[in-house]
Structure formats: structure tokens, C-alpha cells
Amino acid sequence: MSTNQFVTSKPKLSIIQLPDQGMTKKDFIDDFKQYYIHLLGRDERCRSPFYAGEALSLAIRDRLMERWKITHHTYKNNDCKRVFYLSMEFLMGRTLSNAMLNLGVSDVATQAMYDLGIDIEELIDSEPDAGLGNGGLGRLAACFIDSCATLQLPAIGYGLRYEYGMFTQTISNGEQLEKPDHWLRHGNVWEIERLEYSHRIKFGGYSRIQEDASGRQQFCWMDTHDVLAVPFDTPVPGYRNGTVNSLRLWKAVATEEFNFDEFNAGDYPEAVAAKTTAENITMVLYPNDANENGKELRLRQQYFLASASLQDVTTHWASLHGEDFCHFAEKSCFQLNDTHPCIAIAELMRLLMDVHSLTWDAAWAITRSTMAYTNHTLLPEALEKWPVKMMQRLLPRLMDIIFEINARFLTEVSMRWPGDSERLRRMSIIEEGPQQQVRMAYLAIVGSFSVNGVAALHSRLLQQDLFRDFHELWPHKFNNKTNGVTPRRWLAACNPELASLLTETIGDSWITDLSQLKKLEPYAEDAQFRQRWRDLKKAAKQRLIDFKKQQHNIDLNVDALFDVQVKRIHEYKRQLLNVLHVIYLYNRIKKGDTENWLARCVLIGGKAAPGYRMAKKIIKLIKNVAQVINSDPEIGAKLALIFLPDYRVSAMEKICPGADLSEQISTAGKEASGTGNMKFMMNGALTIGTLDGANIEIREEVGDENFFLFGLTEEQIATRRDHYDPVAIINQDDELQQVIYLLESGHFNQFEPGIFDDILVSIKSPHDPWMTIADFRSFVDAQKRVEDAYQDKDRWTKMSILNCANSGKFSTDRTITEYNRDIWKLKPQPVKPK
Ligand SMILES: *Cc1c(COP(=O)(O)O)cnc(C)c1O
């Protein structure tokens, strides 16, 4: 038998006609029973929501299969250009409800389950989240592939199939505990393993030059320790259009030969240990958002993703076109989600030269016209650098290539700016110093034809500050693509009641053309419509209270203002500023300053990176302040502070419909875009925010009168920084002084002396990078404007309607249309159902 026993030379298999599964209620009931009773072997009388969910998922998956195959053949037959979206993270969340929505079978499936006496919500809620990401960056990748499928663009998502996703967060004694998230424990019905498309990934060894028979110099990478990359494919259905794209996630598996050598040497335990080392590569997601730590395993993960994905693309190309790569660049584009997969630039050079025998110049021309890089952060601590030593040891051939890319690049720079050695030092891909490092962002810029930021302000700052030299050299490479979120998951699926009202009012075209929401604007003046809008928001708040009650035993007041900040815990996102405001409100109640008081419920949620001490302290502070406030009878219903544990995609689907106020309060110039802000806006929450990231564009769309702006601008932050004196600001503001006094006197940590000292030191420091104190008064004033607006019900409801009506820009359908127009240039490929 040949090495690849799975692939037949003639496509005989495609002749097999599968019955097209029916879409009636009876069809679903029949299939559900078949799977539940026969395949899963469960008892009809003793129902488990989890297995019932699996049975329904299998029935839904069947209906995706034929469409998946037809989509694949359509792309193949049309020989169309494709985009490959490379991302270390895909924060997919749950699949079932989204698949039903996009297939157009939500109602019929709900009815079918109802007839069987099953509440479909229970099944939906029993599915574990696919939490293969940290936050915004990973969720963006998930929204992007949804929009690509809906726009019928031939796109493949490439990522890693981590055995353990983002950790589960629990809180004990006010502190975050991390529990491993073994999301695959019960299997995953949505993925299909495709052993036949496995690839071999090299690590270690050494590289050297050999002459082949014709005297040509050939690079060899030898004595490597190889690992197999095995793909698992998940279907990505477009919205009711027959398209089903793929998300291909790689799993690391030990090669047989590797173990075999060790067995021969008689080292059985070493062989098993080596297997574990190989398989460790995709064992766990690194739980750090916006900061890097130079761990070798992380570099292994990055190369594993890049090499597996590029081999997949280039071997597929060679299987169709042989070694002729002349037209490869016309038919392929790689979008790199941050620098994490950017080693792909050197890897494509290696594959084209060492495997497919192209010259440097030919390979470089292809690389530079197929790679596109998206930057996600301006924070210096988040810019990836890898020690040259580590790369030489782990990826020697890749390091050779990076040195060569750099040498040629620096020649280009010195021709443009002769004699400017300072500039050469600044722009070099290799940072000199006690230990040489590879600046991955610079490699990304040099090796790609497009560099984009993720919101207008962010892209401008990239060009003016972080990548200024590169922008001067290649202004045409730089562009902006403001982020978005998919309106299928973040409105249609997560808020079906609001979705029905929208469809009843303006038709259903908003689901694939979110700018249609603009048609809602006149209804802001319709009192009857406003009443319905209010009723829906109240029902969504009640559902959020019920969701909360499952874990917590606290009763929230549905008429209070629901003031929500959910996102990763990070100093730049300034959860501390939110807490200072809560303490300020608490202090006012204690002083009796409560005339015209508005009841407020402040909800904060988010995970801290396990090694980020300050972020963990912030969680502890929130919990301690909550403890004091929520148990004080004098405070009563006037104010509540709740920490929402284990913030994740499925939690956000319950949280964003029930929010009145969305907190987007980062230090200006620090949040690249934000996408939580967009989910809240779509669901009719009003934003209190700084002029940062996409907040600026949200305010532009909705109008200043429907947005609560506060805080210093990015320019003001930059100029104030030199003479920032938070202690002086505190001394001049009585109320702020009282807030700081409560903290310093240990009011919230009576039996835990000193635990918040480092927080106090950081916010009182003239070097506080986040300048929390500088924005306190402005934030409090904006919160007063929020209260005034909320107390005028009609005014608030109008503003809420207008926020939803003007959220059209923030659909990833718009974002992806721009990526395609400016960068990818793919033709949509409509899929004709049989
Ligand atoms: C949308 C989303 C984020 C991003 O939120 P930001 O407020 O933009 O930081 C993070 N995590 C989850 C689970 C999300 O759904």
C-alpha cells in the first residue's frame, strides 16, 4: 500500500450521492432519535442535555456536510484566488446555535425539540465554549471567518487545536483561581480529523549548504526532530447562502520514526517522553493577552502553525501545478493576525527555495506579494522579539533566511539614506544588544505588501510613532481596517427578541447588510416603538439577572442602570478607574448625598493573565469593594457591584443584550480598537468612553449627543505625561481625596492589611503609564450626565435606539469587504445548491 492510502488518484468518491437531508420538523426528529438512541446509545426516558445536544448537533452537521463539499468543489473548479487567515487564536465560542441560525433551521429545530419535550436552550447551554483565544484578537478571527463565508469569499482559517483552551476562572476568597479547560474531554462533534493531509514539521538539527549533481548550491536542514501536524476541520457556514468554508486547526502528533529510533536504542521511557514533548506543542493556549514572555514552547507553536499551514498550501499547489509557482501569487494571499504567525514569511522562503527549488529573487517576489500583516497593539511590552540564540537552536534554517532578508533589506535602506547608520540600527530586523533579538514586527513589515492597524486612530499612530521609519520608506504598504463583529452571533443569535423587533420593523436585510439598521432612526420618535424597545431591554436585563443567579445568590434590581465593563483585566483598560467611581458613589451614599439618586448596578468581568500580579490584585479589589457595598444595609438597592466570573464568549452572549451602559474607558492611545464596544452598541447600550480605538468611530457614527465622552485625548496624554502629578490632583479634589482615603485607611481590607498598597502606589505615581487619576474628575462628570439621561426614560430610549441604528459600520461584513477590496482582491464564489 502506498504511503498515503487515503487519497485515490481518481475522484471516485465524489460519485457517491448522499441523500440530501430534509429540513422538515419530522426529518429533524427522526435524525435526532437515530443519533441519540443508536449512535450515542442513550436512553430516551433519561435525557441528558449534553448528549441530546450532541445528537442535535450531529443532525445539523449532516446538513452542512453536502454544502461543505459543494463549496470545496466550487472553489476547485473555478481555480479561484484564496485567502489563508493565519491566527494563533480562534475564539469561536459555541457552534450549535450559530450553525442553526446560518443554516436557517433555528425555528424548525426548536419546534422539533419542543415536540420531544426538550428545551433547546438547555442543549445550547450544555455545549462547552471553544475557548481557543484570549480576547479581542481571537474573537476577531472568529468573526472574520463568519463574514468571509457569508460574503462567499474563498477563505480558510488556519490555527492550532489546543487540547486546553483559555483557563476557566473561579474566584475564591476574592482571588482568581485558574482551572484547566479540557474542552475536548467529551469529544467534539463539529471537527473532522483529516489524517491524509498531515505534514511533517522540522525542529532543531542544523542547516548547511550542499551541492547537488548539477553543481547547484542547495540548503539542507538536517538531523531534525520532526513532529507531525494533523489537521482537524470545522465547517464555517455562511448565512443562508449554501457556502460552508473551513477552519483547519493543527494538532501535534509524534512521528512514528522518531520513537522507533529511540526504541532501537532501548530507551523506552525516553521514547515515550519524546512523544510527549512532540505532542506538548498544541497542548495549551498561552493565556497572555497583550504581553509576551519569550518562552520556547510558544515559538515552537508559532512555527508549527506557520509551517503546517504553508506546507498545506504549497503542496496543494504543487499537486495541481507541479513545480510551476509562476501564478502562485495571483492565486494566494496570507493574512497574518498579529506577529504571532509571522515566521511564515521566512518559512515560505524556505519552502519555495529548499523544497520547490526557486531562486531567492523568485521566492522573495512571491513572499512579498502574498503576505499581509495586521498589527493589533501599540504597547511596547506586547511587541514580540525572539532571541537569535533560541531561533538558531530551534529553527536554524529559518534564522539563516532571516539574516539574509535583513542584510538585503538594510542594503535597500542604506541606498535610500546613505550614511545614516543610526537609521540602520533603528530599522534592523535584528536588535543588537547583550543578546541579539529578532524583531518580529519588522520582519512582518519587510516581508509583506500590506500593513494594517485595526481602527483609524491606531493606524495613524502606527504610521506616526511605532513604525514611522517604515512608513517613510514604504507609505503605500500602510492602511487601516477598522474592526467589526459579526451581526449573526452578536445580534441575531444572542438577542433573538430584539432581532425579531428589528425584522418586523425594517425587514430582515440587516442581517447581511447592517447599514440597513439606519432605517430604525425615525422610530426613535415613535412612543409606542420606544415602549416596546424598553420592554425588550428590561426582559434582557431580567435574563441576565437569572443567568447571574445560577452562580450568585444576589438579587439585582432590574430597574437599576446596568453599567457593564467586561474585557480582559489590564491596567490600560482601567478597571481601576471604574472601581474608583464605585467607591465615589458609595462614599456619597454614606454621606447622605443622595438627592435624586439613580440606582446603579455595576457589573465587571474578565480574566487576568495568571502571571500578571497587578491584574489579579485588581480582581481582588473589585471583590473586596463589592463585599463591603453589597452587605451594607445603608447602601441597599442604591448601588451594587458584581464581579462576573469566567467571562467568555457564551457569557458575553448573555451579557451584552442586558447592558444599559458600556464602559470603554482605556487610556487614550492604548486600546487598538476594541470590539466589545461594538457588541454593546449593536444591542442598544450607550457608551461611556475615551477617545480611543474604535470608540472614536462609534461616536462619529452615533453623534456626540448620544455618546458619553470623557478624558484626555491621545495628544493630551502625551504632553501631560512629562509633568503628571497625581498627588496634586488628589489634593485639589475633595471627593477624590475621600476615595483615596477610604482605600488607604484599609476600609476595604480590614483584615488584610496592606494588600492594596501596590495599587495605590501605582495610581499615585507620576510615572503611572495609564494616568488613571488624570481622568477621574472628567469620568465622574460624564457619569453624572449618564444619570441625568437615564432618569429621562424617553430620552435614554431614543439614544439607545439611535446607537443600534448607527452600528452598521461595525459589522465584520464591512471590515471584510474592505480587506477584500484593498488587500485580498478575491472574487465572491456563489455556491449553487444541487
Ligand atoms: C468581544 C470579546 C472580547 C473583546 O473585548 P474588548 O472589550 O474589545 O477588549 C474579549 N473577550 C470576549 C469573550 C469577547 O467576546
Side-chain angles (χ1 to χ4, degrees), residues 51-69:
Y51 290 109
E54 285 214 320
L56 179 59
S57 297
L58 287 164
I60 300 292
R61 196 188 80 172
D62 282 347
R63 286 151 178 86
L64 292 174
M65 278 297 163
E66 196 69 358
R67 291 165 174 80
W68 202 358
K69 227 175 296 169

Side-chain angles (χ1 to χ4, degrees), residues 91 134-136 139 490 566-568 573 647-649 652 664 671 674-677 679:
L91 189 46
N134 275 281
R139 185 54 231 175
W490 295 114
V566 285
K567 48 183 74 245
R568 288 302 290 258
K573 290 175 184 279
Y647 176 58
R648 60 201 190 281
V649 172
M652 185 53 159
Q664 307 299 336
E671 185 74 88
T675 49
N677 47 5
K679 298 165 199 167

